[in-house]
Amino acid sequence: MRSITPRGLQPNVLGTFDTIVMAVAGSAPAYSLAATTAVLVGSVGLAAPAALLYCAIPMLGIVLAYRRLGRIDVNAGAGYSWVGRTLHPFLGFLSGWALVVAATIFMVAGSLPAGQLTLALFDPYLAADTTLATAVGAGWFLAMLLVVLGGARLTVRAQLLITGAELAILLLFVVGALLHRGAATAFDWSWLGFSHFDGVSGFASGALIAAFCYWGWDVTGNLSEETRDSRRTAGLAALVGIGIVFLLFETFTIAVNVILSSHEIQEGGTGVLALLGRAIWPGWGGKLLILAVMLSTVATLETTLIQVTRSLFAMGRDHTMPAALGSVHRRWNTPWVAVTVVGAVALGLFAAATALGSVGDILGEAVHAMGLQIAFYYGLAGIAAIVAYRGTLLASVRDFVLGGVWPLLGSAYMFWVFVTALDELSRTSVAVGLGGLGAGVVPMLWYWRKGSAYYRCPARLDAVRALAAAEPYGGVPGQRRGGAGEPLATDF
């Protein structure tokens, strides 16, 4: 029986390549395209590629913020820890809570399409049955729950297989789209400009959906305690991962604009990639892209489970949520209580989802609600990076731009999207998005009154002090003579 490490999680399980794969799987290129293309085109029309482009630029600022914060604090809670130790513990808790709520909603928003797509491989008519799709999706969810429960090593092996197959299919269709003849609409460079947006509000609506598309790369931060040389690896993997999914998003969105008519896109809904597949390769093309979306959905279910369970684990360890959530399995070194709780809650939501309407209706409302929560906690992380590195921002032009200006741009963008979108979204989406955030006030105040050390005496996160502490050991944070994995004073 393995001994438990001080943090409880098994260290040094993931390498650089593994972590890049997890970052790509977290953003789920095929699933995100299937889930959002029709919604995005419905919001901004031909400007869908522009919405993804102009969201990617500030999103990169948030990626840079995560990379810099991860260098000075390795913590499975990621933003929950960083925001709490730089801005305020209340904001830190709400940041972690926003991720937990968004991920929990995604258990339904992701599992339903997984079931629907599995059924569509055999009989398209079965896929329209919400009850049956829910049951099959719940089966996929339970399978991924067991994989995550089995430990990080099993998780990454499953991810390499699933995401590898997904990317191979997508790249095959990238080539097919380039060679395809015949177009519903001729390509126009204006699709990458601002002319097709219906004013500022239209741009904000598209930006919120685009933010959901990119969401998930930050799983590398939640896996940092289980990653080799994580101070370097986690941030690098996030940068490479966001670059890969950006190229795939742009390629497929432009292909959809060119090959399919706006009517076909709206009629296709979440099956728009299947339409694209049949248009590129009649007959088997649609089935193959359905398979890619199904694999992507299953893969991102796994990474989302990692994010929510690691976040809850960190909260339980800090006693800002029930302490049992911070427990780890002695054999698998996984937060088994957190995994069990998430599984039970998600299964309850699956049962409720059958009464809410079609898969498309559920998915559309969920995407918008999650977008609000994602914009909230990403925006806080960008500010946290600036505060943590405030003593180094004027050291060089590079530090000023990459550590100050770009994360600030990312945060400002996220908060602007959050506020502006409130006037554009349906009451259901706003209620779920804001109500989910507001619910976090209850456990926050409860454990604050109980005297959790997280609230009473947080160890302030300061890059100058952390980097200075690393200098006698070669100047690389977290790498000391005799042990690259030893923690700095800023770690848990």
Side-chain angles (χ1 to χ4, degrees):
M1 186 176 294
R2 291 191 184 95
S3 61
I4 299 176
T5 66
R7 296 190 184 97
L9 301 175
Q10 187 175 359
N12 302 322
V13 176
L14 280 72
T16 302
F17 180 74
D18 302 327
T19 315
I20 290 172
V21 171
M22 297 301 267
V24 173
S27 291
Y31 166 78
S32 296
L33 286 164
T36 62
T37 297
V39 181
L40 189 58
V41 170
S43 297
V44 298
L46 293 173
L52 291 165
L53 170 63
Y54 296 120
C55 184
I57 296 170
M59 182 65 76
L60 187 56
I62 305 301
V63 177
L64 291 171
Y66 265 70
R67 185 182 188 186
R68 292 168 72 83
L69 288 165
R71 289 184 63 212
I72 57 175
D73 181 25
V74 175
N75 193 295
Y80 154 78
S81 173
W82 303 333
V83 173
R85 295 175 61 186
T86 53
L87 304 183
H88 193 279
F90 283 179
L91 290 176
F93 180 84
L94 291 177
S95 175
W97 181 264
L99 187 153
V100 169
V101 173
T104 303
I105 294 173
F106 180 79
M107 300 307 167
V108 176
S111 296
L112 287 175
Q116 185 186 42
L117 292 162
T118 303
L119 294 171
L121 289 172
F122 302 98
D123 187 344
Y125 293 102
L126 291 176
D129 188 330
T130 302
T131 303
L132 188 57
T134 301
V136 176
W140 276 119
F141 172 76
L142 288 173
M144 290 301 99
L145 197 74
L146 292 174
V147 170
V148 171
L149 186 62
R153 198 175 302 279
L154 175 62
T155 299
V156 74
R157 287 174 179 171
Q159 198 61 258
L160 288 171
L161 178 64
I162 297 171
T163 301
E166 173 201 352
L167 291 180
I169 295 172
L170 290 180
L171 291 175
L172 179 65
F173 275 89
V174 167
V175 175
L178 292 174
L179 298 177
H180 180 75
R181 294 189 176 183
T185 308
F187 171 75
D188 194 320
W189 285 105
S190 67
W191 296 348
L192 298 173
F194 291 94
S195 61
H196 291 283
F197 290 110
D198 184 18
V200 174
S201 61
F203 177 79
S205 177
L208 189 69
I209 299 167
F212 169 77
C213 284
Y214 290 110
W215 177 52
W217 54 265
D218 49 310
V219 69
T220 59
N222 298 104
L223 283 167
S224 60
E225 294 185 25
E226 298 157 272
T227 304
R228 290 192 296 274
D229 190 16
S230 64
R231 298 182 192 281
R232 180 193 66 86
T233 302
L236 174 64
L239 282 171
V240 175
I242 202 76
I244 291 171
V245 298
F246 167 72
L247 292 175
L248 288 171
F249 287 159
E250 286 296 326
T251 301
F252 273 88
T253 308
I254 291 172
V256 166
N257 273 3
V258 170
I259 296 172
L260 302 179
S261 67
S262 58
H263 176 73
E264 288 176 316
I265 296 169
Q266 293 303 317
E267 288 293 316
T270 57
V272 68
L273 282 195
L275 290 178
L276 180 66
R278 288 194 291 270
I280 294 175
W281 278 302
W284 57 271
K287 293 278 188 182
L288 200 55
L289 269 184
I290 288 174
L291 176 62
V293 177
M294 187 195 75
L295 291 172
S296 181
T297 308
V298 172
T300 197
L301 275 177
E302 185 186 82
T303 58
T304 307
L305 277 166
I306 289 172
Q307 283 194 283
V308 68
T309 55
R310 268 44 176 189
S311 296
L312 288 173
F313 163 76
M315 291 174 168
R317 182 173 62 186
D318 290 344
H319 299 282
T320 58
M321 289 285 278
L325 295 172
S327 304
V328 294
H329 194 280
R330 288 184 173 274
R331 179 179 179 184
W332 299 322
N333 291 100
T334 53
W336 69 275
V337 176
V339 173
T340 304
V341 169
V342 169
V345 172
L347 289 175
L349 291 176
F350 291 148
T354 58
L356 296 180
S358 71
V359 173
D361 294 337
I362 296 169
L363 192 57
E365 298 292 351
V367 165
H368 286 114
M370 284 185 284
L372 287 173
Q373 291 148 2
I374 294 163
F376 176 77
Y377 84 81
Y378 275 173
L380 287 176
I383 298 297
I386 297 170
V387 173
Y389 278 84
R390 62 191 180 279
T392 68
L393 295 182
L394 299 180
S396 68
V397 174
R398 182 177 182 274
D399 283 323
F400 181 71
V401 174
L402 299 184
V405 175
W406 214 331
L408 180 61
L409 170 66
S411 288
Y413 178 85
M414 292 298 166
F415 288 132
W416 173 78
V417 167
F418 180 91
V419 173
T420 307
L422 292 177
D423 292 331
E424 301 299 317
L425 301 183
S426 69
R427 291 182 178 179
T428 302
S429 294
V430 172
V432 172
L434 296 185
L437 281 175
V441 173
V442 176
M444 181 182 74
L445 293 178
W446 175 264
Y447 285 96
W448 170 69
R449 288 180 62 87
K450 289 185 70 174
S452 168
Y454 173 86
Y455 297 114
R456 301 300 182 190
C457 51
R460 306 304 297 177
L461 196 57
D462 183 86
V464 173
R465 187 179 69 233
L467 296 175
E471 284 178 3
Y473 307 98
V476 180
Q479 292 191 356
R480 305 182 179 209
R481 282 177 202 157
E486 295 182 31
L488 293 177
T490 55
D491 289 332
F492 169 79

